[in-house]
Amino acid sequence: MAEDKVITLATRSYEHAEIIRSLLESEGIECFLENVNLIQGYISDGVKIRIREQDLEKAVKIMEDVERPELLKAEEKKRGRPSKSRILLPVDFSDYSSKAADMAMDWAARLDAEITVLHVFYNPVINTLPFAEAYVYDTSIDEMLIDLEEKAREDMNGFMGHLKQRKKDKGLEKLHIHTKLLRGVAEDEIIRFSDEYEPTIIIMGTRGKDRKASDLIGSVTAEVMEGARVPVLAVPEDFEYKGIDNMKKVLYATNFEESDFVALDKLEKLVKPLDVSITFAHVCEKSSDKWDKIKMEGLKKYVEEKFPNTQIDFDLIQNEDFWVGIESYVRSKNIDIISLTTRRRNIFARLFNPSIGKKMLFHSTTPLLVFHARR
C-alpha cells in the first residue's frame, strides 16, 4: 500500500472532512486527513482528504452524492435565506483586487447590499507523506502560521484603509463592509465560506493568463467560477472601470437550454438596479441558422412576458468559433459585461476539458458574469 500513489480528493473544514472520511471508510475506501492541528483539531481549516488514486472514481461518486445541490438547498431552507443582499469580495491585495472592490462598492450601493472582504492566506502543509506512514504534527508550524496571519491582518488593515477612503470619496458612508481572514487553500475556502455566507454575488479581480507566476488569483477565480453555488463576476486586470453609471450593456450568451431560464431570472434581478440593457445572443453556424431563429423567437416570447419592464434585445451571431464570435460582438456593440451559464462538471471533466468560461476568463478584458446550470 505504501507504493500506491496518494492524491488529494478535496479540501474541507475539519468537521466536514471528518464526515466525508467516515462515509468513505464505510464504503471500504481508505483515507486520512492531512493538515489537521492534532492539539486543536476542531479549529482546523483547509483539511485535505487524501486517498489512493485507484479509489478516485468511486470516491468522487460518493462525494457528489454527499454534496448534491438539492441537499444543500434543503439545508438552506432550514437556516433561512439572508434578508439583505450580500456581496462577497475575495481579495489578494493586488491592483486588480482594488479594481474589483471599486466595482463591488458601487454595485452594493445599487443593491442596498453589504460587502464582506475575504482574504485566504497560505497554509503550509506536508504533501509528501507516504500513505502508510503516521502523521506527526510539527508544532513549529504554529509559529509560522502566527506570522502568516499577522502579515495577512496587516495587509487587510491597509486594504481596508484604502476602501474607507474610497467610500468617503464616493459618498457611500452608509455602506457596511466587513472583513474575514481564513487560512487554507484559496479557492476551497472561498467556496466553503460562500456556502456559509450565502452572498447574492461573488465579485473578484483576475489577472491575465500571461502575468507573473506569483499572481495566482486568475486560476483561483476560474476554480471559484466552477465550484461556487452563486453567480460569480470576474473583473479582469486590464478592464478599464469608469464607474457603475457607465456599465450600460450586458450580453447573455444563450444556448437555448433549460438552465438559461434560471440564470435569466437571477441576471435580471442582479442588473436591474444598474439600469442596463440586456442582449440575449446565440453563436451559431450558418447551416443551423433556421432552427436557431425559431428557438430565439421562443426565448424572446418568454423573456418579454417574464420581464416586461426591462430593455431586452435578441441577436444571432454567425461564427463557427464561439469565442471569436463573442469577442467580435462585444467589441462592435460596446458590451460592458459578458454573462453565461456554465454546466456543473464532475472532477474528471474539470481536469481534462476546461470550460468556455475559463477560456474566456483568461482572454477577455470585459467582466465575465457566470451562473451555474444546476444551482
Side-chain angles (χ1 to χ4, degrees):
M1 182 172 164
E3 296 178 356
D4 291 333
K5 184 176 180 182
V6 179
I7 61 173
T8 298
L9 173 65
T11 306
R12 298 289 186 270
S13 67
Y14 175 73
E15 295 85 353
H16 198 166
E18 279 286 7
I19 293 171
I20 292 173
R21 177 170 69 170
S22 176
L23 289 169
L24 292 176
E25 290 182 345
S26 70
E27 295 293 330
I29 298 176
E30 296 181 83
C31 68
F32 72 93
L33 305 184
E34 185 177 286
N35 193 32
V36 178
N37 184 331
L38 296 184
I39 298 173
Q40 293 177 295
Y42 61 90
I43 65 169
S44 295
D45 288 318
V47 175
K48 289 189 175 185
I49 304 164
R50 304 272 280 173
I51 63 170
R52 292 180 298 176
E53 187 176 38
Q54 69 187 52
D55 293 326
L56 177 60
E57 186 173 359
K58 184 178 179 181
V60 167
K61 290 179 180 178
I62 294 172
M63 286 281 291
E64 289 185 340
D65 284 340
V66 172
E67 301 182 329
R68 287 202 311 271
E70 53 265 35
L71 295 180
L72 292 163
K73 286 179 181 177
E75 185 61 29
E76 284 177 358
K77 288 182 180 179
K78 291 180 183 178
R79 294 197 306 264
R81 297 290 298 175
S83 58
K84 187 178 179 65
S85 295
R86 299 174 173 184
I87 293 177
L88 178 59
L89 177 69
V91 301
D92 65 354
F93 310 123
S94 61
D95 290 341
Y96 37 91
S97 286
S98 296
K99 187 177 296 184
D102 265 355
M103 196 166 179
M105 284 192 289
D106 289 342
W107 208 322
R110 296 293 181 88
L111 290 173
D112 189 26
E114 67 175 36
I115 297 175
T116 290
V117 181
L118 169 65
H119 175 67
V120 182
F121 60 94
Y122 175 69
N123 194 5
V125 295
I126 301 171
N127 294 309
T128 57
L129 283 175
F131 192 89
E133 290 186 11
Y135 183 87
V136 179
Y137 181 71
D138 184 355
T139 54
S140 66
I141 292 179
D142 278 342
E143 296 179 7
M144 187 183 302
L145 287 174
I146 291 172
D147 291 340
L148 289 169
E149 185 170 355
E150 287 180 355
K151 176 64 165 60
R153 203 171 297 281
E154 289 176 7
D155 289 340
M156 179 65 84
N157 289 338
F159 190 80
M160 287 304 297
H162 166 75
L163 290 195
K164 288 177 181 178
Q165 183 59 51
R166 295 295 294 150
K167 273 180 57 178
K168 184 177 180 181
D169 295 342
K170 291 172 178 285
L172 302 176
E173 286 86 354
K174 294 182 179 180
L175 176 63
H176 295 288
I177 302 180
H178 312 283
T179 62
K180 184 74 173 180
L181 288 176
L182 292 175
R183 165 168 64 90
V185 179
E187 55 268 36
D188 293 329
E189 291 305 309
I190 292 169
I191 293 169
R192 184 177 68 82
F193 181 73
S194 172
D195 290 342
E196 297 175 2
Y197 183 58
E198 301 177 7
T200 309
I201 187 173
I202 298 172
I203 298 178
M204 56 195 304
T206 180
R207 63 171 177 81
K209 185 178 180 181
D210 299 324
R211 303 304 179 187
K212 58 187 180 181
S214 60
D215 289 341
L216 297 176
I217 201 165
S219 59
V220 171
T221 306
E223 292 302 320
V224 172
M225 286 197 312
E226 289 283 351
R229 297 181 176 87
V230 298
V232 179
L233 178 72
V235 182
E237 179 180 17
D238 296 327
F239 171 63
E240 186 178 357
Y241 181 57
K242 298 179 180 179
I244 204 76
D245 290 333
N246 291 301
M247 305 291 285
K248 294 297 184 182
K249 295 183 179 181
V250 176
L251 169 67
Y252 181 83
T254 178
N255 201 31
F256 306 124
E257 296 179 345
E258 288 185 18
S259 57
D260 285 339
F261 296 103
V262 177
L264 297 184
D265 189 49
K266 295 179 182 178
L267 174 64
E268 200 269 346
K269 290 177 181 177
L270 273 174
V271 302
K272 193 173 183 63
L274 307 187
D275 191 27
V276 300
S277 64
I278 304 173
T279 297
F280 296 118
H282 175 70
V283 181
C284 61
E285 298 179 17
K286 196 169 186 178
S287 58
S288 64
D289 188 45
K290 176 182 176 181
W291 296 110
D292 287 325
K293 283 182 179 178
I294 294 173
K295 293 176 183 176
M296 185 63 85
E297 283 300 317
L299 178 63
K300 182 178 180 180
K301 182 178 179 181
Y302 169 85
V303 170
E304 288 179 343
E305 291 177 355
K306 178 81 172 177
F307 311 115
N309 300 318
T310 302
Q311 183 182 339
I312 300 174
D313 299 307
F314 303 84
D315 214 343
L316 291 174
I317 304 170
Q318 291 187 355
N319 202 295
E320 294 183 359
D321 185 285
F322 177 88
W323 173 238
V324 173
I326 288 290
E327 190 173 38
S328 175
Y329 191 87
V330 166
R331 286 201 305 267
S332 65
K333 300 294 184 179
N334 298 315
I335 298 297
D336 298 303
I337 298 176
I338 304 169
S339 182
L340 52 80
T341 296
T342 180
R343 286 186 171 278
R344 183 173 180 267
R345 290 173 169 76
N346 63 33
I347 191 170
F348 302 108
R350 284 186 218 160
L351 288 172
F352 302 114
N353 185 25
S355 69
I356 289 174
K358 282 188 181 180
K359 293 177 182 177
M360 293 174 70
L361 174 66
F362 289 120
H363 290 86
S364 177
T365 57
T366 305
L368 180 63
L369 177 60
V370 173
F371 300 90
H372 293 266
R374 291 172 58 186
R375 291 167 186 163

